[in-house]
């Protein structure tokens, strides 16, 4: 409810992200060792024109975004990744910046997932921003 009220008052913004991991059970166990419950591992699938797309995703029953959305939801793709069937859009992630008052605890969690070297992290009020390469140049989404 609080997030919906913020979006109504301040407009759309980047509030969360998803990270692909090679072994979802291992990733969730690494977080659990730090006292972080990422959620239940749920199998999912959908039929596509190219065949069945399958994945596993960690979902919290309470829907909570951990570290105010700065700790990602975790996903493990099956044999095929959905991007393999998409035409080139000219968009690519350039950088992801996370800011959080508990930056060191977040850094430890991201390191346990093998994600710490792939993004920027600083201390401060909770905030996510991404820079995208686009046909029109770099664009920041915050």
């Amino acid at each position: 409810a609080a997030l919906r009220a913020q979006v109504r008052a301040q407009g759309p913004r980047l509030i969360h992200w998803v990270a692909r991991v090679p072994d979802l059970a291992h990733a969730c166990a690494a977080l659990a060792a730090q006292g972080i419950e990422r959620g239940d591992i749920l199998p999912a699938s959908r039929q596509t024109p190219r065949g069945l797309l399958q994945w596993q995703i960690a979902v919290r029953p309470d829907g909570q975004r951990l570290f105010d959305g700065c700790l990602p939801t975790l996903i493990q793709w099956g044999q095929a990744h959905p991007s393999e069937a998409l035409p080139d859009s000219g968009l690519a992630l350039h950088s992801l910046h996370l800011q959080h008052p508990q930056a060191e605890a977040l850094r430890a969690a991201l390191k346990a997932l093998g994600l710490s070297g792939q993004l920027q992290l600083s201390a401060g009020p909770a905030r996510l921003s991404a820079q995208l390469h686009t046909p029109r140049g770099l664009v920041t989404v915050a």
Side-chain angles (χ1 to χ4, degrees):
L3 178 59
R4 283 190 292 271
Q6 285 178 349
V7 170
R8 272 194 298 274
Q10 301 169 6
R13 62 187 172 109
L14 189 58
I15 62 167
H16 192 54
W17 61 297
V18 177
R20 179 183 188 179
V21 293
D23 184 334
L24 185 56
H26 181 265
C28 288
L31 291 177
Q34 294 187 26
I36 300 170
E37 177 55 44
R38 181 63 270 176
D40 300 326
I41 296 176
L42 304 177
S45 65
R46 70 177 169 91
Q47 193 63 42
T48 72
R50 293 188 169 202
L52 187 64
L53 187 62
Q54 296 177 301
W55 64 95
Q56 296 180 75
I57 190 165
V59 177
R60 288 184 58 94
D62 61 8
Q64 184 180 2
R65 297 173 307 115
L66 299 179
F67 287 89
D68 302 292
C70 289
L71 187 66
T73 291
L74 303 176
I75 191 168
Q76 178 182 339
W77 290 103
Q79 294 293 324
H81 189 279
S83 67
E84 295 167 0
L86 296 174
D88 185 1
S89 66
L91 297 175
L93 180 64
H94 174 72
S95 64
L96 179 63
H97 182 256
L98 310 173
Q99 183 175 296
H100 198 272
Q102 296 174 299
E104 290 312 309
L106 178 57
R107 187 179 318 279
L110 293 168
K111 183 176 181 182
L113 296 171
L115 300 173
S116 60
Q118 302 173 18
L119 45 85
Q120 301 166 20
L121 174 60
S122 61
R127 182 172 182 265
L128 290 84
S129 63
Q131 281 197 315
L132 305 173
H133 287 289
T134 75
R136 295 182 178 168
L138 270 176
V139 172
T140 300
V141 179

